């Protein structure tokens, strides 16, 4: 069976868990191989922390017959989350080397499911931009082409999966931060509905952000949503549970769907022709599968006012993160303690009043109602995942004028943040590759709480255009 044990970590987490449960492989073998691949792929700089000893010890304790759904499978946690006993930095020098005393709820759920926590993956400072080039840890590079970005803010997570270090990795998404790196790295990236996964205990409700995973397969994304979703004690709001497990719905063929399609940037920025072509090719594929596709941009999508409101709420969240980081480390907040982009948002937020924030939230909610109402006649919406090709490392200079650089980042990713404002689920699928070998993702958006339908359609498309065998680094 030796030949069957090569490239184990490019298989699905579901398959690997089954092999560990049956005794065909051991968890320790998986962790050892993951550690070897980290060493062999240091050039991509995916990890900020590797817990080799504790991961090997935890893996050794996993025995055949363990009934937990993912017993013995290695996973990594993004730098922005709390993991008990580990350094917590938010990707910033400001936080110092603070050690977290607790797990975020989703981390506890991953442990309970049997995952082995291998370490932490790289993220931009405070998760702000759609690239991963923090001052503290340096740039994460795309395993398909190390001269370009792996995306952000879950860029380390996506790079680790694309490089075959892990079968899947934790990510979070406040404006596209799961879907963007998934598109850059040829992976599946699902942003769940607002309230589907608890943000506790460190955070309360978030209007924009949610946790999730980046995977190779749709089945893994569905199974992990079943693990992570659900109410936690003290949550102020939460999504109601699905009628059946997401994994069950994902495995069922979807009914014939009415699909809206648009390639127009919500920001009015140019869209690379290769992404436009990918959407049109996907529309043809959907039609061949029996679905109906119509060009339609939901009313309210293309408005600068919505993105101004987004920036007000976003700046408040970043400022809160900066204050939180300083409270943990005891360090002073100043222009030197954080990156210039972070400082720009912090200063911008200080120029606003509480009334500005309340007005921005109200604007987002009004606009979301308009968008979702216009969306109603359709089952899903098809768009590009990105507006541009993965950016060369260094394209966004976060030490220059923060406003212009953040505007440039919006042109790169104009299709993602809007669904954080509406709270709808959205998924990026790696359906295509360009002639130069870089992946090309397309995005599907569902009705609120309709992750099941998105996953079912994604499974159908995965069967029609399989991507699992495409490997950045065999």
């Amino acid at each position: 069976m030796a030949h069957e044990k090569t490239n184990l970590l490019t298989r699905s987490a579901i398959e690997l868990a089954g092999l560990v449960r049956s005794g065909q492989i051991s968890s320790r073998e998986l962790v050892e191989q993951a550690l070897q691949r980290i060493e062999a792929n240091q050039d991509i700089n995916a990890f900020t922390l590797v817990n080799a000893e504790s991961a090997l010890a935890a893996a050794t304790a996993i025995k055949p017959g363990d009934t937990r759904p993912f017993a013995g499978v290695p996973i990594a946690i993004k730098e922005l989350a709390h993991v008990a006993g580990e350094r917590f930095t938010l990707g910033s020098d400001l936080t110092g080397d603070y050690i977290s005393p607790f797990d975020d709820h989703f981390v506890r759920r991953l442990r309970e499911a049997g995952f082995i926590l291998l370490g932490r993956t790289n993220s931009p400072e405070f998760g702000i931009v759609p690239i991963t080039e923090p001052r503290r840890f340096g740039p994460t590079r795309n395993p398909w082409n190390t001269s370009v970005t792996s995306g952000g803010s879950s860029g380390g997570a996506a790079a680790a999966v694309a490089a075959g270090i892990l079968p899947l990795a934790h990510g979070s998404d406040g404006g596209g931060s799961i879907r963007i790196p998934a598109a850059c790295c040829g992976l599946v990236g699902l942003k769940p509905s607002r309230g589907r996964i608890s943000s506790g205990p460190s955070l309360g409700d978030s209007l924009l952000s949610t946790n999730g995973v980046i995977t190779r397969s749709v089945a893994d994304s569905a199974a992990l949503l079943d693990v992570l979703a659900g109410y936690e004690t003290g949550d102020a709001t939460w999504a109601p549970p699905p009628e059946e497990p997401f994994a069950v719905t994902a495995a069922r063929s979807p009914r014939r769907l009415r699909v809206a399609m648009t390639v127009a940037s919500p920001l009015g920025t140019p869209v690379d022709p290769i992404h436009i072509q990918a959407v049109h090719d996907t529309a043809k594929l959907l039609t061949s599968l029996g679905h109906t596709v119509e060009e339609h941009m939901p009313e309210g999508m293309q408005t600068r006012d919505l993105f101004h409101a987004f920036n007000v709420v976003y700046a408040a969240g970043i400022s809160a993160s900066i204050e939180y980081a300083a409270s943990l480390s005891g360090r002073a907040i100043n222009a030197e303690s954080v990156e210039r982009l972070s400082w720009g948002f912090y200063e911008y937020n200080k120029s606003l009043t509480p009334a500005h924030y309340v007005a921005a939230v109200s604007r987002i909610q009004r606009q979301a109602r308009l968008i979702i109402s216009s969306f109603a006649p359709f089952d899903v919406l098809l768009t590009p995942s990105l507006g541009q090709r993965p950016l060369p490392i260094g394209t966004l200079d976060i030490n220059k004028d923060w406003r212009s650089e953040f505007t440039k980042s919006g042109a790169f990713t104009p299709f993602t943040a809007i669904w954080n404002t509406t709270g709808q689920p959205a998924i990026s699928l790696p359906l295509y590759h360009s002639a130069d070998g870089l992946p090309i993702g397309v995005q599907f958006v569902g009705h609120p709480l309709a992750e099941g339908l998105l996953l079912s359609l994604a499974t159908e498309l995965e069967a029609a255009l399989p991507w699992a065998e495409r490997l950045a680094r065999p």
Side-chain angles (χ1 to χ4, degrees):
M1 290 179 59
H3 68 286
E4 297 178 9
K5 291 190 177 182
T6 60
N7 303 321
L8 281 172
L9 297 162
T10 63
R11 301 189 189 186
S12 77
I14 294 172
E15 181 183 0
L16 293 179
L19 292 172
V20 172
R21 191 175 303 115
S22 67
Q24 295 179 65
I25 59 173
S26 70
S27 175
R28 188 177 179 94
E29 287 179 85
L30 293 180
V31 171
E32 287 175 343
Q33 190 171 108
L35 293 171
Q36 290 166 6
R37 293 196 67 84
I38 289 173
E39 184 67 24
N41 289 277
Q42 288 192 24
D43 60 321
I44 64 172
N45 192 35
F47 283 79
T48 60
L49 179 70
V50 178
N51 294 320
E53 290 186 11
S54 62
L56 287 168
T60 302
I62 302 292
K63 305 302 180 185
D66 194 314
T67 59
R68 291 176 294 172
F70 291 98
V73 178
I75 194 172
I77 308 300
K78 185 177 175 180
E79 189 65 39
L80 304 186
H82 281 282
V83 179
E86 290 188 4
R87 186 182 64 196
F88 172 77
T89 71
L90 290 167
S92 177
D93 294 321
L94 178 61
T95 325
D97 290 323
Y98 173 80
I99 302 299
S100 180
F102 63 88
D103 284 338
D104 278 327
H105 288 323
F106 80 86
V107 174
R108 189 205 75 235
R109 287 180 176 236
L110 291 172
R111 290 190 197 271
E112 290 172 349
F115 280 104
I116 305 297
L117 305 190
L118 191 62
R120 310 302 291 273
T121 56
N122 203 4
S123 166
E125 185 174 73
F126 306 116
I128 298 177
V129 283
I131 59 168
T132 301
E133 301 175 27
R135 180 175 70 187
R136 177 163 186 173
F137 297 114
T140 294
R141 298 176 179 275
N142 195 317
W144 294 95
N145 179 342
T146 56
S147 70
V148 303
T149 185
S150 62
S153 61
S154 308
V161 178
I165 296 171
L166 295 167
L168 77 179
H170 160 252
S172 57
D173 192 315
S177 291
I178 287 174
R179 291 159 288 154
I180 294 162
C184 288
C185 293
L187 302 167
V188 178
L190 172 68
K191 180 193 82 69
S193 293
R194 181 183 293 141
R196 181 67 74 190
I197 297 172
S198 175
S199 297
S202 58
L203 298 175
D205 294 344
S206 174
L207 183 65
L208 301 176
S209 186
T210 184
N211 286 290
V213 289
I214 296 174
T215 70
R216 288 189 178 277
S217 73
V218 177
D220 274 0
S221 288
L224 265 292
L225 190 57
D226 285 322
V227 167
L228 298 176
Y231 170 80
E232 291 281 354
T233 301
D235 286 348
T237 57
W238 59 94
E243 294 182 358
E244 63 182 4
F246 290 109
V248 173
T249 307
R252 184 186 306 119
S253 296
R255 55 184 168 79
R256 298 310 90 191
L257 304 176
R258 188 179 181 194
V259 180
M261 177 191 81
T262 183
V263 295
S265 163
L267 294 176
T269 50
V271 179
D272 191 294
I274 201 166
H275 293 298
I276 294 174
Q277 186 61 51
V279 168
H280 286 292
D281 289 346
T282 304
K284 291 177 184 176
L285 175 60
L286 290 166
T287 301
S288 74
L289 294 170
H291 304 294
T292 301
V293 182
E294 305 172 37
E295 289 198 32
H296 173 76
M297 174 179 255
E299 186 179 357
M301 269 185 66
Q302 202 165 33
T303 171
R304 284 276 178 179
D305 288 346
L306 176 60
F307 285 89
H308 172 71
F310 173 89
N311 285 342
V312 170
V313 175
Y314 201 58
I318 293 165
S319 296
S321 293
I322 292 172
E323 296 280 0
Y324 184 44
S327 73
L328 297 178
S329 67
R331 297 181 178 183
I333 301 170
N334 54 50
E336 287 70 45
S337 62
V338 294
E339 296 172 6
R340 185 165 180 179
L341 183 65
S342 305
W343 182 249
F345 269 108
Y346 187 71
E347 291 283 280
Y348 172 60
N349 182 67
K350 288 201 299 184
S351 73
L352 303 173
T353 67
H356 286 113
Y357 180 84
V358 172
V361 171
S362 295
R363 177 59 195 239
I364 286 172
Q365 292 172 336
R366 288 197 305 272
Q367 204 73 14
R369 292 187 179 99
L370 177 62
I371 293 168
I372 294 169
S373 295
S374 178
F375 195 98
F378 298 91
D379 296 299
V380 296
L381 172 68
L382 165 64
T383 79
S385 293
L386 303 174
Q388 301 170 356
R389 308 295 305 285
L391 300 177
I393 298 292
T395 299
L396 295 181
D397 189 344
I398 52 180
N399 292 308
K400 290 184 178 179
D401 177 68
W402 72 275
R403 289 181 185 273
S404 64
E405 295 306 293
F406 194 66
T407 298
K408 280 169 41 177
S409 76
F412 174 41
T413 61
F415 294 98
T416 54
I418 193 165
W419 312 116
N420 297 81
T421 68
T422 67
Q424 293 168 255
I427 190 169
S428 181
L429 300 177
L431 291 180
Y432 305 102
H433 264 62
S434 61
D436 61 8
L438 283 174
I440 304 169
V442 297
Q443 178 179 234
F444 288 92
V445 184
H447 286 284
L449 308 179
E451 292 98 326
L453 181 60
L454 280 185
L455 290 162
S456 177
L457 176 60
T459 300
E460 184 179 47
L461 293 170
E462 184 180 32
L465 284 180
W467 55 71
E469 298 305 314
R470 300 190 206 128
L471 302 177
R473 296 186 170 188

